[in-house]
Amino acid sequence: MTRGSKKIFYGCLFALCLFLFASVIFLNFIKKPNDLPEQSFKGEDGIGEAIQIHDTGYFVNEGKVYGYAEFFNPNEEWWTPFVTYRLRVLDKDGKEAEAITGDLFNFGPKSRRFVYGAEIRTPLQNIGRIDVLLIDMVWEAGDSFINREASFELDEVTVGDRLATVRGTIKNTSAFMIPKMEVVVIFRDSSGFKYFITGTFVEKIGEFSSRDFRISLSLDDYLLNKFQSDKIDVYIYQL
């Protein structure tokens, strides 16, 4: 091999080694989307604390099993137009037996949201626990969140013929119509433990006006024995 050929050979070899070394460094610093933790979603430059999952579990009523989860946005200056979640049913060994995917929309700053009424097909005796994974979301600045001021009054909580009924009124105290609101009711027993969550939707609440809501829950013997008319929590939020 001539001197010139050796220079070309060693030059190419050096360039190849440099390329391979740079590729390894690049791959170690760049993560694929599937490698990112599903629960982070804090945004760039530390924007936004992660959505918190305060509680998960399931209720049984009239032979059916329903999963639930409670979410909280701890941020004062950030909101998200949607959160995609995966509610997972784990068996006694901790393996996923079933999953329900859904979305929460218009999750405002410093607010609480609930997933409820998710019917579970896995046999009750095979359920170990419920957990939730956050799959996708996008943070938006808090000043872009349109918050229509509203309040509610709880008018009446009754039970009869194995049917619990919650009646109330939503008041729109803003100068704009509220297209849609969700009303969530949490039923608690005498010790304060929740034993069921349900809800309804109220649409087109005019400016400075009110709309009534009614939520009914059919009770089996177990839930009927737990019913306490003064142990009701109500949450409202706009969608």
Side-chain angles (χ1 to χ4, degrees), residues 211-234:
R211 289 285 303 275
D212 295 336
F213 67 85
R214 186 177 76 171
I215 296 175
S216 297
L217 174 64
S218 180
L219 304 173
D220 61 15
D221 289 338
Y222 178 74
L223 297 191
L224 186 61
N225 289 331
K226 286 181 169 292
F227 180 80
Q228 301 285 324
S229 61
D230 60 342
K231 299 289 186 179
I232 303 291
D233 294 340
V234 178

mmCIF file with all atom_site columns, all heavy atoms in Angstrom, residues 211-234:
data_model
loop_
_atom_site.group_PDB
_atom_site.id
_atom_site.type_symbol
_atom_site.label_atom_id
_atom_site.label_alt_id
_atom_site.label_comp_id
_atom_site.label_asym_id
_atom_site.label_entity_id
_atom_site.label_seq_id
_atom_site.pdbx_PDB_ins_code
_atom_site.Cartn_x
_atom_site.Cartn_y
_atom_site.Cartn_z
_atom_site.occupancy
_atom_site.B_iso_or_equiv
_atom_site.pdbx_formal_charge
_atom_site.auth_seq_id
_atom_site.auth_comp_id
_atom_site.auth_asym_id
_atom_site.auth_atom_id
_atom_site.pdbx_PDB_model_num
ATOM 1   N N   . ARG A 1 211 ? -80.208 26.988 36.284 1.00 0.00 ? 211 ARG A N   1
ATOM 2   C CA  . ARG A 1 211 ? -80.796 25.755 35.756 1.00 0.00 ? 211 ARG A CA  1
ATOM 3   C C   . ARG A 1 211 ? -80.828 24.719 36.864 1.00 0.00 ? 211 ARG A C   1
ATOM 4   O O   . ARG A 1 211 ? -79.860 24.576 37.629 1.00 0.00 ? 211 ARG A O   1
ATOM 5   C CB  . ARG A 1 211 ? -79.971 25.215 34.580 1.00 0.00 ? 211 ARG A CB  1
ATOM 6   C CG  . ARG A 1 211 ? -80.053 26.033 33.296 1.00 0.00 ? 211 ARG A CG  1
ATOM 7   C CD  . ARG A 1 211 ? -81.378 25.841 32.579 1.00 0.00 ? 211 ARG A CD  1
ATOM 8   N NE  . ARG A 1 211 ? -81.665 24.459 32.266 1.00 0.00 ? 211 ARG A NE  1
ATOM 9   C CZ  . ARG A 1 211 ? -81.210 23.857 31.160 1.00 0.00 ? 211 ARG A CZ  1
ATOM 10  N NH1 . ARG A 1 211 ? -80.465 24.506 30.281 1.00 0.00 ? 211 ARG A NH1 1
ATOM 11  N NH2 . ARG A 1 211 ? -81.529 22.595 30.923 1.00 0.00 ? 211 ARG A NH2 1
ATOM 12  N N   . ASP A 1 212 ? -81.941 23.989 36.961 1.00 0.00 ? 212 ASP A N   1
ATOM 13  C CA  . ASP A 1 212 ? -82.051 22.927 37.957 1.00 0.00 ? 212 ASP A CA  1
ATOM 14  C C   . ASP A 1 212 ? -81.392 21.648 37.449 1.00 0.00 ? 212 ASP A C   1
ATOM 15  O O   . ASP A 1 212 ? -81.288 21.409 36.242 1.00 0.00 ? 212 ASP A O   1
ATOM 16  C CB  . ASP A 1 212 ? -83.522 22.651 38.265 1.00 0.00 ? 212 ASP A CB  1
ATOM 17  C CG  . ASP A 1 212 ? -84.205 23.827 38.930 1.00 0.00 ? 212 ASP A CG  1
ATOM 18  O OD1 . ASP A 1 212 ? -83.510 24.640 39.558 1.00 0.00 ? 212 ASP A OD1 1
ATOM 19  O OD2 . ASP A 1 212 ? -85.442 23.935 38.805 1.00 0.00 ? 212 ASP A OD2 1
ATOM 20  N N   . PHE A 1 213 ? -80.929 20.819 38.379 1.00 0.00 ? 213 PHE A N   1
ATOM 21  C CA  . PHE A 1 213 ? -80.429 19.496 38.035 1.00 0.00 ? 213 PHE A CA  1
ATOM 22  C C   . PHE A 1 213 ? -81.010 18.470 38.999 1.00 0.00 ? 213 PHE A C   1
ATOM 23  O O   . PHE A 1 213 ? -81.382 18.796 40.126 1.00 0.00 ? 213 PHE A O   1
ATOM 24  C CB  . PHE A 1 213 ? -78.893 19.445 38.049 1.00 0.00 ? 213 PHE A CB  1
ATOM 25  C CG  . PHE A 1 213 ? -78.260 19.611 39.405 1.00 0.00 ? 213 PHE A CG  1
ATOM 26  C CD1 . PHE A 1 213 ? -78.090 18.522 40.247 1.00 0.00 ? 213 PHE A CD1 1
ATOM 27  C CD2 . PHE A 1 213 ? -77.831 20.864 39.841 1.00 0.00 ? 213 PHE A CD2 1
ATOM 28  C CE1 . PHE A 1 213 ? -77.499 18.664 41.497 1.00 0.00 ? 213 PHE A CE1 1
ATOM 29  C CE2 . PHE A 1 213 ? -77.236 21.015 41.088 1.00 0.00 ? 213 PHE A CE2 1
ATOM 30  C CZ  . PHE A 1 213 ? -77.066 19.922 41.913 1.00 0.00 ? 213 PHE A CZ  1
ATOM 31  N N   . ARG A 1 214 ? -81.094 17.255 38.523 1.00 0.00 ? 214 ARG A N   1
ATOM 32  C CA  . ARG A 1 214 ? -81.542 16.134 39.358 1.00 0.00 ? 214 ARG A CA  1
ATOM 33  C C   . ARG A 1 214 ? -80.703 14.914 39.020 1.00 0.00 ? 214 ARG A C   1
ATOM 34  O O   . ARG A 1 214 ? -80.520 14.582 37.846 1.00 0.00 ? 214 ARG A O   1
ATOM 35  C CB  . ARG A 1 214 ? -83.015 15.813 39.129 1.00 0.00 ? 214 ARG A CB  1
ATOM 36  C CG  . ARG A 1 214 ? -83.530 14.749 40.092 1.00 0.00 ? 214 ARG A CG  1
ATOM 37  C CD  . ARG A 1 214 ? -85.007 14.483 39.914 1.00 0.00 ? 214 ARG A CD  1
ATOM 38  N NE  . ARG A 1 214 ? -85.264 13.675 38.719 1.00 0.00 ? 214 ARG A NE  1
ATOM 39  C CZ  . ARG A 1 214 ? -86.451 13.154 38.425 1.00 0.00 ? 214 ARG A CZ  1
ATOM 40  N NH1 . ARG A 1 214 ? -87.490 13.386 39.207 1.00 0.00 ? 214 ARG A NH1 1
ATOM 41  N NH2 . ARG A 1 214 ? -86.612 12.435 37.343 1.00 0.00 ? 214 ARG A NH2 1
ATOM 42  N N   . ILE A 1 215 ? -80.185 14.272 40.052 1.00 0.00 ? 215 ILE A N   1
ATOM 43  C CA  . ILE A 1 215 ? -79.384 13.059 39.892 1.00 0.00 ? 215 ILE A CA  1
ATOM 44  C C   . ILE A 1 215 ? -80.021 11.952 40.707 1.00 0.00 ? 215 ILE A C   1
ATOM 45  O O   . ILE A 1 215 ? -80.301 12.135 41.906 1.00 0.00 ? 215 ILE A O   1
ATOM 46  C CB  . ILE A 1 215 ? -77.928 13.292 40.353 1.00 0.00 ? 215 ILE A CB  1
ATOM 47  C CG1 . ILE A 1 215 ? -77.251 14.343 39.468 1.00 0.00 ? 215 ILE A CG1 1
ATOM 48  C CG2 . ILE A 1 215 ? -77.140 11.992 40.343 1.00 0.00 ? 215 ILE A CG2 1
ATOM 49  C CD1 . ILE A 1 215 ? -75.868 14.727 39.928 1.00 0.00 ? 215 ILE A CD1 1
ATOM 50  N N   . SER A 1 216 ? -80.278 10.817 40.071 1.00 0.00 ? 216 SER A N   1
ATOM 51  C CA  . SER A 1 216 ? -80.892 9.682  40.755 1.00 0.00 ? 216 SER A CA  1
ATOM 52  C C   . SER A 1 216 ? -79.958 8.484  40.735 1.00 0.00 ? 216 SER A C   1
ATOM 53  O O   . SER A 1 216 ? -79.256 8.246  39.739 1.00 0.00 ? 216 SER A O   1
ATOM 54  C CB  . SER A 1 216 ? -82.230 9.313  40.095 1.00 0.00 ? 216 SER A CB  1
ATOM 55  O OG  . SER A 1 216 ? -83.145 10.377 40.211 1.00 0.00 ? 216 SER A OG  1
ATOM 56  N N   . LEU A 1 217 ? -79.953 7.748  41.824 1.00 0.00 ? 217 LEU A N   1
ATOM 57  C CA  . LEU A 1 217 ? -79.119 6.559  41.944 1.00 0.00 ? 217 LEU A CA  1
ATOM 58  C C   . LEU A 1 217 ? -79.945 5.423  42.533 1.00 0.00 ? 217 LEU A C   1
ATOM 59  O O   . LEU A 1 217 ? -80.468 5.524  43.648 1.00 0.00 ? 217 LEU A O   1
ATOM 60  C CB  . LEU A 1 217 ? -77.914 6.836  42.850 1.00 0.00 ? 217 LEU A CB  1
ATOM 61  C CG  . LEU A 1 217 ? -77.028 5.636  43.182 1.00 0.00 ? 217 LEU A CG  1
ATOM 62  C CD1 . LEU A 1 217 ? -76.365 5.088  41.926 1.00 0.00 ? 217 LEU A CD1 1
ATOM 63  C CD2 . LEU A 1 217 ? -75.964 6.017  44.220 1.00 0.00 ? 217 LEU A CD2 1
ATOM 64  N N   . SER A 1 218 ? -80.086 4.345  41.777 1.00 0.00 ? 218 SER A N   1
ATOM 65  C CA  . SER A 1 218 ? -80.766 3.147  42.267 1.00 0.00 ? 218 SER A CA  1
ATOM 66  C C   . SER A 1 218 ? -79.836 2.424  43.242 1.00 0.00 ? 218 SER A C   1
ATOM 67  O O   . SER A 1 218 ? -78.653 2.218  42.949 1.00 0.00 ? 218 SER A O   1
ATOM 68  C CB  . SER A 1 218 ? -81.118 2.238  41.083 1.00 0.00 ? 218 SER A CB  1
ATOM 69  O OG  . SER A 1 218 ? -81.770 1.068  41.526 1.00 0.00 ? 218 SER A OG  1
ATOM 70  N N   . LEU A 1 219 ? -80.367 2.045  44.394 1.00 0.00 ? 219 LEU A N   1
ATOM 71  C CA  . LEU A 1 219 ? -79.553 1.472  45.467 1.00 0.00 ? 219 LEU A CA  1
ATOM 72  C C   . LEU A 1 219 ? -79.893 0.003  45.709 1.00 0.00 ? 219 LEU A C   1
ATOM 73  O O   . LEU A 1 219 ? -81.068 -0.346 45.832 1.00 0.00 ? 219 LEU A O   1
ATOM 74  C CB  . LEU A 1 219 ? -79.781 2.251  46.770 1.00 0.00 ? 219 LEU A CB  1
ATOM 75  C CG  . LEU A 1 219 ? -79.540 3.765  46.740 1.00 0.00 ? 219 LEU A CG  1
ATOM 76  C CD1 . LEU A 1 219 ? -79.990 4.381  48.055 1.00 0.00 ? 219 LEU A CD1 1
ATOM 77  C CD2 . LEU A 1 219 ? -78.076 4.060  46.482 1.00 0.00 ? 219 LEU A CD2 1
ATOM 78  N N   . ASP A 1 220 ? -78.854 -0.829 45.795 1.00 0.00 ? 220 ASP A N   1
ATOM 79  C CA  . ASP A 1 220 ? -79.089 -2.192 46.250 1.00 0.00 ? 220 ASP A CA  1
ATOM 80  C C   . ASP A 1 220 ? -79.094 -2.195 47.779 1.00 0.00 ? 220 ASP A C   1
ATOM 81  O O   . ASP A 1 220 ? -78.962 -1.137 48.418 1.00 0.00 ? 220 ASP A O   1
ATOM 82  C CB  . ASP A 1 220 ? -78.054 -3.157 45.672 1.00 0.00 ? 220 ASP A CB  1
ATOM 83  C CG  . ASP A 1 220 ? -76.615 -2.829 46.081 1.00 0.00 ? 220 ASP A CG  1
ATOM 84  O OD1 . ASP A 1 220 ? -76.415 -2.033 47.035 1.00 0.00 ? 220 ASP A OD1 1
ATOM 85  O OD2 . ASP A 1 220 ? -75.686 -3.363 45.448 1.00 0.00 ? 220 ASP A OD2 1
ATOM 86  N N   . ASP A 1 221 ? -79.277 -3.360 48.382 1.00 0.00 ? 221 ASP A N   1
ATOM 87  C CA  . ASP A 1 221 ? -79.392 -3.425 49.842 1.00 0.00 ? 221 ASP A CA  1
ATOM 88  C C   . ASP A 1 221 ? -78.150 -2.866 50.540 1.00 0.00 ? 221 ASP A C   1
ATOM 89  O O   . ASP A 1 221 ? -78.251 -2.161 51.556 1.00 0.00 ? 221 ASP A O   1
ATOM 90  C CB  . ASP A 1 221 ? -79.614 -4.874 50.285 1.00 0.00 ? 221 ASP A CB  1
ATOM 91  C CG  . ASP A 1 221 ? -81.003 -5.387 49.913 1.00 0.00 ? 221 ASP A CG  1
ATOM 92  O OD1 . ASP A 1 221 ? -81.908 -4.536 49.713 1.00 0.00 ? 221 ASP A OD1 1
ATOM 93  O OD2 . ASP A 1 221 ? -81.181 -6.616 49.818 1.00 0.00 ? 221 ASP A OD2 1
ATOM 94  N N   . TYR A 1 222 ? -76.989 -3.186 49.995 1.00 0.00 ? 222 TYR A N   1
ATOM 95  C CA  . TYR A 1 222 ? -75.731 -2.757 50.617 1.00 0.00 ? 222 TYR A CA  1
ATOM 96  C C   . TYR A 1 222 ? -75.628 -1.231 50.628 1.00 0.00 ? 222 TYR A C   1
ATOM 97  O O   . TYR A 1 222 ? -75.329 -0.617 51.662 1.00 0.00 ? 222 TYR A O   1
ATOM 98  C CB  . TYR A 1 222 ? -74.556 -3.368 49.868 1.00 0.00 ? 222 TYR A CB  1
ATOM 99  C CG  . TYR A 1 222 ? -73.200 -2.955 50.379 1.00 0.00 ? 222 TYR A CG  1
ATOM 100 C CD1 . TYR A 1 222 ? -72.705 -3.466 51.572 1.00 0.00 ? 222 TYR A CD1 1
ATOM 101 C CD2 . TYR A 1 222 ? -72.421 -2.042 49.668 1.00 0.00 ? 222 TYR A CD2 1
ATOM 102 C CE1 . TYR A 1 222 ? -71.458 -3.082 52.053 1.00 0.00 ? 222 TYR A CE1 1
ATOM 103 C CE2 . TYR A 1 222 ? -71.182 -1.656 50.138 1.00 0.00 ? 222 TYR A CE2 1
ATOM 104 C CZ  . TYR A 1 222 ? -70.700 -2.172 51.332 1.00 0.00 ? 222 TYR A CZ  1
ATOM 105 O OH  . TYR A 1 222 ? -69.466 -1.775 51.805 1.00 0.00 ? 222 TYR A OH  1
ATOM 106 N N   . LEU A 1 223 ? -75.888 -0.591 49.485 1.00 0.00 ? 223 LEU A N   1
ATOM 107 C CA  . LEU A 1 223 ? -75.791 0.862  49.410 1.00 0.00 ? 223 LEU A CA  1
ATOM 108 C C   . LEU A 1 223 ? -76.932 1.545  50.162 1.00 0.00 ? 223 LEU A C   1
ATOM 109 O O   . LEU A 1 223 ? -76.744 2.622  50.728 1.00 0.00 ? 223 LEU A O   1
ATOM 110 C CB  . LEU A 1 223 ? -75.780 1.318  47.952 1.00 0.00 ? 223 LEU A CB  1
ATOM 111 C CG  . LEU A 1 223 ? -74.600 0.848  47.088 1.00 0.00 ? 223 LEU A CG  1
ATOM 112 C CD1 . LEU A 1 223 ? -74.590 1.595  45.764 1.00 0.00 ? 223 LEU A CD1 1
ATOM 113 C CD2 . LEU A 1 223 ? -73.271 1.026  47.812 1.00 0.00 ? 223 LEU A CD2 1
ATOM 114 N N   . LEU A 1 224 ? -78.099 0.924  50.162 1.00 0.00 ? 224 LEU A N   1
ATOM 115 C CA  . LEU A 1 224 ? -79.233 1.498  50.882 1.00 0.00 ? 224 LEU A CA  1
ATOM 116 C C   . LEU A 1 224 ? -78.920 1.622  52.371 1.00 0.00 ? 224 LEU A C   1
ATOM 117 O O   . LEU A 1 224 ? -79.278 2.615  53.022 1.00 0.00 ? 224 LEU A O   1
ATOM 118 C CB  . LEU A 1 224 ? -80.473 0.639  50.668 1.00 0.00 ? 224 LEU A CB  1
ATOM 119 C CG  . LEU A 1 224 ? -81.797 1.177  51.236 1.00 0.00 ? 224 LEU A CG  1
ATOM 120 C CD1 . LEU A 1 224 ? -82.148 2.518  50.604 1.00 0.00 ? 224 LEU A CD1 1
ATOM 121 C CD2 . LEU A 1 224 ? -82.913 0.161  51.015 1.00 0.00 ? 224 LEU A CD2 1
ATOM 122 N N   . ASN A 1 225 ? -78.229 0.634  52.918 1.00 0.00 ? 225 ASN A N   1
ATOM 123 C CA  . ASN A 1 225 ? -77.858 0.667  54.336 1.00 0.00 ? 225 ASN A CA  1
ATOM 124 C C   . ASN A 1 225 ? -76.812 1.738  54.628 1.00 0.00 ? 225 ASN A C   1
ATOM 125 O O   . ASN A 1 225 ? -76.669 2.176  55.779 1.00 0.00 ? 225 ASN A O   1
ATOM 126 C CB  . ASN A 1 225 ? -77.330 -0.699 54.778 1.00 0.00 ? 225 ASN A CB  1
ATOM 127 C CG  . ASN A 1 225 ? -78.428 -1.744 54.850 1.00 0.00 ? 225 ASN A CG  1
ATOM 128 O OD1 . ASN A 1 225 ? -79.590 -1.424 55.092 1.00 0.00 ? 225 ASN A OD1 1
ATOM 129 N ND2 . ASN A 1 225 ? -78.067 -3.008 54.621 1.00 0.00 ? 225 ASN A ND2 1
ATOM 130 N N   . LYS A 1 226 ? -76.067 2.160  53.611 1.00 0.00 ? 226 LYS A N   1
ATOM 131 C CA  . LYS A 1 226 ? -75.037 3.173  53.799 1.00 0.00 ? 226 LYS A CA  1
ATOM 132 C C   . LYS A 1 226 ? -75.549 4.593  53.585 1.00 0.00 ? 226 LYS A C   1
ATOM 133 O O   . LYS A 1 226 ? -74.866 5.559  53.937 1.00 0.00 ? 226 LYS A O   1
ATOM 134 C CB  . LYS A 1 226 ? -73.872 2.916  52.826 1.00 0.00 ? 226 LYS A CB  1
ATOM 135 C CG  . LYS A 1 226 ? -73.002 1.734  53.197 1.00 0.00 ? 226 LYS A CG  1
ATOM 136 C CD  . LYS A 1 226 ? -71.870 1.558  52.210 1.00 0.00 ? 226 LYS A CD  1
ATOM 137 C CE  . LYS A 1 226 ? -70.848 0.551  52.718 1.00 0.00 ? 226 LYS A CE  1
ATOM 138 N NZ  . LYS A 1 226 ? -70.109 1.035  53.901 1.00 0.00 ? 226 LYS A NZ  1
ATOM 139 N N   . PHE A 1 227 ? -76.723 4.728  53.009 1.00 0.00 ? 227 PHE A N   1
ATOM 140 C CA  . PHE A 1 227 ? -77.202 6.044  52.602 1.00 0.00 ? 227 PHE A CA  1
ATOM 141 C C   . PHE A 1 227 ? -77.348 7.005  53.780 1.00 0.00 ? 227 PHE A C   1
ATOM 142 O O   . PHE A 1 227 ? -77.944 6.672  54.806 1.00 0.00 ? 227 PHE A O   1
ATOM 143 C CB  . PHE A 1 227 ? -78.547 5.918  51.874 1.00 0.00 ? 227 PHE A CB  1
ATOM 144 C CG  . PHE A 1 227 ? -79.093 7.248  51.429 1.00 0.00 ? 227 PHE A CG  1
ATOM 145 C CD1 . PHE A 1 227 ? -78.625 7.852  50.282 1.00 0.00 ? 227 PHE A CD1 1
ATOM 146 C CD2 . PHE A 1 227 ? -80.071 7.885  52.183 1.00 0.00 ? 227 PHE A CD2 1
ATOM 147 C CE1 . PHE A 1 227 ? -79.128 9.094  49.885 1.00 0.00 ? 227 PHE A CE1 1
ATOM 148 C CE2 . PHE A 1 227 ? -80.582 9.118  51.794 1.00 0.00 ? 227 PHE A CE2 1
ATOM 149 C CZ  . PHE A 1 227 ? -80.096 9.724  50.636 1.00 0.00 ? 227 PHE A CZ  1
ATOM 150 N N   . GLN A 1 228 ? -76.789 8.212  53.616 1.00 0.00 ? 228 GLN A N   1
ATOM 151 C CA  . GLN A 1 228 ? -76.904 9.286  54.591 1.00 0.00 ? 228 GLN A CA  1
ATOM 152 C C   . GLN A 1 228 ? -77.204 10.572 53.816 1.00 0.00 ? 228 GLN A C   1
ATOM 153 O O   . GLN A 1 228 ? -76.380 11.035 53.030 1.00 0.00 ? 228 GLN A O   1
ATOM 154 C CB  . GLN A 1 228 ? -75.592 9.464  55.370 1.00 0.00 ? 228 GLN A CB  1
ATOM 155 C CG  . GLN A 1 228 ? -75.128 8.237  56.131 1.00 0.00 ? 228 GLN A CG  1
ATOM 156 C CD  . GLN A 1 228 ? -75.944 8.004  57.381 1.00 0.00 ? 228 GLN A CD  1
ATOM 157 O OE1 . GLN A 1 228 ? -76.359 8.953  58.049 1.00 0.00 ? 228 GLN A OE1 1
ATOM 158 N NE2 . GLN A 1 228 ? -76.183 6.748  57.718 1.00 0.00 ? 228 GLN A NE2 1
ATOM 159 N N   . SER A 1 229 ? -78.356 11.146 54.040 1.00 0.00 ? 229 SER A N   1
ATOM 160 C CA  . SER A 1 229 ? -78.756 12.310 53.249 1.00 0.00 ? 229 SER A CA  1
ATOM 161 C C   . SER A 1 229 ? -77.877 13.538 53.500 1.00 0.00 ? 229 SER A C   1
ATOM 162 O O   . SER A 1 229 ? -77.823 14.448 52.669 1.00 0.00 ? 229 SER A O   1
ATOM 163 C CB  . SER A 1 229 ? -80.222 12.665 53.542 1.00 0.00 ? 229 SER A CB  1
ATOM 164 O OG  . SER A 1 229 ? -80.393 12.998 54.918 1.00 0.00 ? 229 SER A OG  1
ATOM 165 N N   . ASP A 1 230 ? -77.191 13.565 54.649 1.00 0.00 ? 230 ASP A N   1
ATOM 166 C CA  . ASP A 1 230 ? -76.343 14.714 54.957 1.00 0.00 ? 230 ASP A CA  1
ATOM 167 C C   . ASP A 1 230 ? -74.873 14.453 54.638 1.00 0.00 ? 230 ASP A C   1
ATOM 168 O O   . ASP A 1 230 ? -74.003 15.247 55.019 1.00 0.00 ? 230 ASP A O   1
ATOM 169 C CB  . ASP A 1 230 ? -76.490 15.107 56.428 1.00 0.00 ? 230 ASP A CB  1
ATOM 170 C CG  . ASP A 1 230 ? -76.096 13.980 57.373 1.00 0.00 ? 230 ASP A CG  1
ATOM 171 O OD1 . ASP A 1 230 ? -76.042 12.812 56.925 1.00 0.00 ? 230 ASP A OD1 1
ATOM 172 O OD2 . ASP A 1 230 ? -75.837 14.258 58.558 1.00 0.00 ? 230 ASP A OD2 1
ATOM 173 N N   . LYS A 1 231 ? -74.596 13.360 53.953 1.00 0.00 ? 231 LYS A N   1
ATOM 174 C CA  . LYS A 1 231 ? -73.209 13.016 53.606 1.00 0.00 ? 231 LYS A CA  1
ATOM 175 C C   . LYS A 1 231 ? -73.057 13.006 52.082 1.00 0.00 ? 231 LYS A C   1
ATOM 176 O O   . LYS A 1 231 ? -72.737 11.978 51.473 1.00 0.00 ? 231 LYS A O   1
ATOM 177 C CB  . LYS A 1 231 ? -72.828 11.652 54.183 1.00 0.00 ? 231 LYS A CB  1
ATOM 178 C CG  . LYS A 1 231 ? -72.890 11.552 55.699 1.00 0.00 ? 231 LYS A CG  1
ATOM 179 C CD  . LYS A 1 231 ? -71.779 12.335 56.364 1.00 0.00 ? 231 LYS A CD  1
ATOM 180 C CE  . LYS A 1 231 ? -71.771 12.095 57.864 1.00 0.00 ? 231 LYS A CE  1
ATOM 181 N NZ  . LYS A 1 231 ? -70.686 12.837 58.544 1.00 0.00 ? 231 LYS A NZ  1
ATOM 182 N N   . ILE A 1 232 ? -73.268 14.170 51.486 1.00 0.00 ? 232 ILE A N   1
ATOM 183 C CA  . ILE A 1 232 ? -73.218 14.296 50.032 1.00 0.00 ? 232 ILE A CA  1
ATOM 184 C C   . ILE A 1 232 ? -72.237 15.398 49.667 1.00 0.00 ? 232 ILE A C   1
ATOM 185 O O   . ILE A 1 232 ? -72.308 16.512 50.193 1.00 0.00 ? 232 ILE A O   1
ATOM 186 C CB  . ILE A 1 232 ? -74.609 14.649 49.446 1.00 0.00 ? 232 ILE A CB  1
ATOM 187 C CG1 . ILE A 1 232 ? -75.655 13.609 49.853 1.00 0.00 ? 232 ILE A CG1 1
ATOM 188 C CG2 . ILE A 1 232 ? -74.529 14.790 47.930 1.00 0.00 ? 232 ILE A CG2 1
ATOM 189 C CD1 . ILE A 1 232 ? -75.471 12.270 49.223 1.00 0.00 ? 232 ILE A CD1 1
ATOM 190 N N   . ASP A 1 233 ? -71.297 15.105 48.755 1.00 0.00 ? 233 ASP A N   1
ATOM 191 C CA  . ASP A 1 233 ? -70.407 16.125 48.200 1.00 0.00 ? 233 ASP A CA  1
ATOM 192 C C   . ASP A 1 233 ? -70.815 16.396 46.759 1.00 0.00 ? 233 ASP A C   1
ATOM 193 O O   . ASP A 1 233 ? -71.101 15.454 46.002 1.00 0.00 ? 233 ASP A O   1
ATOM 194 C CB  . ASP A 1 233 ? -68.951 15.659 48.212 1.00 0.00 ? 233 ASP A CB  1
ATOM 195 C CG  . ASP A 1 233 ? -68.405 15.479 49.620 1.00 0.00 ? 233 ASP A CG  1
ATOM 196 O OD1 . ASP A 1 233 ? -68.986 16.065 50.550 1.00 0.00 ? 233 ASP A OD1 1
ATOM 197 O OD2 . ASP A 1 233 ? -67.409 14.758 49.777 1.00 0.00 ? 233 ASP A OD2 1
ATOM 198 N N   . VAL A 1 234 ? -70.823 17.669 46.387 1.00 0.00 ? 234 VAL A N   1
ATOM 199 C CA  . VAL A 1 234 ? -71.192 18.050 45.028 1.00 0.00 ? 234 VAL A CA  1
ATOM 200 C C   . VAL A 1 234 ? -70.069 18.892 44.412 1.00 0.00 ? 234 VAL A C   1
ATOM 201 O O   . VAL A 1 234 ? -69.565 19.828 45.051 1.00 0.00 ? 234 VAL A O   1
ATOM 202 C CB  . VAL A 1 234 ? -72.510 18.855 44.989 1.00 0.00 ? 234 VAL A CB  1
ATOM 203 C CG1 . VAL A 1 234 ? -72.843 19.268 43.560 1.00 0.00 ? 234 VAL A CG1 1
ATOM 204 C CG2 . VAL A 1 234 ? -73.647 18.033 45.588 1.00 0.00 ? 234 VAL A CG2 1
#
